[in-house]
Amino acid sequence: MNKAFYLETFGCQMNVVDSERIVDLLEGIGYAQVDAAEKADLVLLNTCSVRDKAERKVYGHLGRFKPIKDQRPELIIGVGGCVAQQEGEKMLEKIPYLDLVFGTHNVHRLPELVQQVEAKRQRGSATEFLDRETRLNLFPQRSVRDNITRFVTVMQGCDNFCSYCIVPQVRGREVSRPSAEIVTEIESLVAQGVREVTLLGQNVNSYGSKDESEISFAQLLRRINAIEGLERLRFATSHPKDMTDELIDCFGELEKLCKHIHLPVQSGSDRILKLMNRGYSSADYLRKVARLQQVCPEIRLTTDIIVGFPGEAEADFQATLELVKQVRYADAFTFLYSPRSGTAAAELSDDQSSMQKQQRFERLLALQNRIGEETWQADLHKVLPVLVEGESKQGEGQMFGRTTWNRIINFTAGTDLIGTIVPVKIIKVFRNSNLGERV
Ligand code: SAH
Ligand code: SF4
Ligand code: F3S
């Protein structure tokens, strides 16, 4: 009989990709995935430590598994991802019912760790960083399971050291994968039915910039754009300082490149951007946005913004509001600053009260909600091309797909449309998705 595993994934797309790899690896040693920890022989959390809240969640979830293990001591419990990377072996000491810990460079060692627990009840951890060569050989390729859209990792790690951010510590240094290998993978995905790929990296548009012999990110996009059978191309997440003119021009040239870019600005205040070590001013950022809008008038932007960075004053916050009004983001992920130990910003003194920060957070949210709603409401009654991805969770006979702006559209149609781009008329606009009808 098959053994069963339950896997929960937190954090960003890097973890989503790693989890897809985990599924393949565990299937390889006789496990099948189930949808509840109660039914599993092995439970795993793939964790995120980008903010304190994300990290605390891990301990909360682990606590949920304890009563199950009390009843069934043979249950194996493991933690992977960024919290595992950060805490390492210490986690085994802290949590007596935890069996294994694997870091962000050690996903491939999971089968071995699981088998050690199975055979000898031997707890284990693997959280060492690997060298460049080894990592290049371990870029996660995963099996295709009726996917229409796929993430393709093109680079890993981050060398930017934004002063607030834990990612460089938990993901290690930047490595870019050889372009020939990326193109081959995408060709193979397309042959298996994939129609849209999203190129992934923590700092995706610095791709190849540290390797003289590698092509630029813009050149990589051009090559991928030429792959026959591929319909759409996206990439995330871009750093504003690495938005070259050559890359911006791609939005005007490449017909498969979707008209959406996630371009985290973090703050509109030059003083705060400097303290954040972001490497651009608000004027630099706005110039790049203007150029994007010039080469591709239909482009929509989304962003990340941090509120309450140490020492952020009302004037700094006002500058952020101004920038948001000027860019008119279709959507923004807004975060309250969360100090991360070991980062430079954690050492900065902070004179703002948490109440002040909370109030600013809500002001920003109210502004962005209004702009976002105006943006999406403008699509009402428009007919837009939608790539149909699969059956919707909204109800029977409903399909879902996305517009070029990555907006989810639910509409009534048959499964035969999956994988095709069809015109859909928008008939209702909700907060995070739209309802459409086929025309
Ligand atoms: N590599 C991507 C994503 C990094 S994490 C990038 O550079 O954009 C995603 C977002 O989390 C960041 O853009 C930032 O807005 C937010 N973030 C990162 N560290 C944070 C912290 N310590 N407190 C609050 N938000 C944080
Ligand atoms: Fe973190 Fe900055 Fe790297 Fe993004 S670019 S992962 S925010 S250090
Ligand atoms: Fe979180 Fe790790 Fe991604 S800290 S945001 S899961 S790289």
Side-chain angles (χ1 to χ4, degrees):
M1 212 181 77
N2 252 346
K3 297 165 285 185
F5 76 95
Y6 172 74
L7 169 65
E8 244 177 279
T9 308
F10 305 90
C12 67
Q13 290 113 328
M14 313 298 143
N15 271 7
V16 172
V17 166
D18 286 342
S19 282
E20 288 173 1
R21 180 81 190 117
I22 289 171
V23 172
D24 279 351
L25 289 169
L26 292 177
E27 288 182 354
I29 57 166
Y31 280 86
Q33 192 167 14
V34 291
D35 60 6
E38 287 73 16
K39 301 184 214 161
D41 305 292
L42 164 65
V43 296
L44 292 175
L45 297 181
N46 194 4
T47 62
C48 172
S49 56
V50 78
R51 284 168 291 275
D52 183 53
K53 201 168 148 197
E55 191 174 332
R56 275 202 315 254
K57 224 189 247 176
V58 175
Y59 291 95
H61 278 253
L62 279 173
R64 253 180 37 210
F65 301 145
K66 183 166 185 300
I68 312 179
K69 184 138 179 167
D70 287 340
Q71 283 188 348
R72 285 194 288 124
E74 68 284 4
L75 176 71
I76 302 172
I77 303 180
V79 174
C82 297
V83 176
Q85 185 60 49
Q86 207 178 311
E87 300 285 298
E89 231 174 347
K90 270 192 301 192
M91 276 192 107
L92 292 177
E93 286 162 36
K94 268 204 236 170
I95 308 167
Y97 54 90
L98 185 62
D99 297 292
L100 56 95
V101 176
F102 59 104
T104 54
H105 289 191
N106 292 280
V107 173
H108 63 292
R109 297 214 16 219
L110 183 60
E112 168 204 333
L113 290 167
V114 169
Q115 283 168 331
Q116 266 173 15
V117 189
E118 284 175 342
K120 307 182 251 173
R121 292 308 310 180
Q122 185 185 323
R123 305 166 81 205
S125 74
T127 54
E128 66 282 4
F129 275 158
L130 306 177
D131 63 38
R132 200 186 131 81
E133 282 315 301
T134 317
R135 288 172 72 197
L136 283 173
N137 288 321
L138 286 170
F139 264 89
Q141 301 221 12
R142 299 91 59 216
S143 51
V144 176
R145 299 160 196 259
D146 295 331
N147 307 90
I148 299 303
T149 65
R150 270 303 268 234
F151 292 133
V152 174
T153 315
V154 300
M155 58 87 67
Q156 286 181 335
C158 183
D159 292 348
N160 285 333
F161 293 93
C162 301
S163 64
Y164 50 82
C165 185
I166 197 76
V167 170
Q169 282 177 53
V170 291
R171 291 274 162 177
R173 296 291 62 76
E174 258 180 53
V175 291
S176 292
R177 204 174 157 195
S179 51
E181 200 182 298
I182 297 166
V183 171
T184 308
E185 182 183 343
I186 298 173
E187 283 168 348
S188 142
L189 291 173
V190 169
Q192 293 173 80
V194 169
R195 292 291 164 262
E196 172 183 309
V197 292
T198 302
L199 309 184
L200 269 196
Q202 281 301 349
N203 187 14
V204 73
N205 57 340
S206 85
Y207 173 86
S209 61
K210 282 155 195 166
D211 184 350
E212 291 276 292
S213 62
E214 195 47 273
I215 58 175
S216 70
F217 188 59
Q219 285 169 314
L220 178 67
L221 293 184
R222 287 199 199 101
R223 276 204 200 162
I224 296 170
N225 188 70
I227 295 176
E228 214 171 304
L230 183 75
E231 300 278 0
R232 282 179 172 181
L233 175 58
R234 304 179 188 274
F235 57 88
T237 294
S238 304
H239 195 299
K241 77 170 166 47
D242 297 312
M243 283 311 288
T244 59
D245 286 350
E246 188 198 12
L247 177 55
I248 292 174
D249 287 342
C250 287
F251 284 93
E253 285 167 21
L254 305 182
E255 72 284 1
K256 294 179 187 174
L257 186 60
C258 289
K259 301 180 192 323
H260 164 232
I261 183 164
H262 186 65
L263 197 59
V265 68
Q266 312 299 358
S267 170
S269 152
D270 289 342
R271 195 177 70 84
I272 298 295
L273 286 170
K274 202 166 194 136
L275 287 171
M276 287 177 162
N277 191 30
R278 288 291 286 179
Y280 55 85
S281 65
S282 60
D284 294 335
Y285 184 91
L286 289 170
R287 255 195 308 275
K288 295 192 185 199
V289 170
R291 209 182 134 97
L292 278 163
Q293 291 168 336
Q294 186 198 339
V295 300
C296 180
E298 286 186 292
I299 200 166
R300 288 189 187 172
L301 285 95
T302 55
T303 200
D304 294 345
I305 297 169
I306 297 176
V307 175
F309 187 83
E312 185 185 67
E314 179 61 25
D316 298 307
F317 178 67
Q318 280 295 340
T320 299
L321 294 180
E322 282 312 311
L323 183 135
V324 166
K325 280 186 210 155
Q326 195 167 339
V327 178
R328 292 189 61 82
Y329 295 105
D331 215 337
F333 299 92
T334 50
F335 307 105
L336 271 174
Y337 169 72
S338 166
R340 307 279 66 207
S341 79
T343 62
E347 310 299 319
L348 297 174
S349 65
D350 193 359
D351 56 357
Q352 309 290 308
S353 73
S354 58
M355 178 131 108
Q356 263 171 327
K357 292 184 180 193
Q358 187 62 40
Q359 283 172 351
R360 284 185 191 152
F361 184 81
E362 280 157 26
R363 282 160 66 196
L364 175 62
L365 203 63
L367 171 66
Q368 177 53 41
N369 282 348
R370 177 172 65 69
I371 295 171
E373 198 182 319
E374 285 167 8
T375 310
W376 299 117
Q377 282 293 346
D379 291 341
L380 193 63
H381 309 311
K382 276 189 200 162
V383 176
L384 300 171
V386 170
L387 173 60
V388 188
E389 291 181 36
E391 289 177 76
S392 158
K393 290 184 210 111
Q394 301 300 314
E396 199 137 326
Q398 290 258 316
M399 296 291 128
F400 83 97
R402 283 168 213 263
T403 62
T404 190
W405 303 307
N406 214 19
R407 179 82 166 174
I408 291 185
I409 314 290
N410 294 295
F411 63 106
T412 304
T415 50
D416 54 311
L417 292 184
I418 293 173
T420 63
I421 295 183
V422 295
V424 177
K425 185 172 178 181
I426 307 304
I427 56 174
K428 210 164 164 74
V429 177
F430 299 107
R431 173 81 188 86
N432 294 312
S433 65
N434 293 353
L435 186 67
E437 71 188 9
R438 273 207 75 192
V439 288

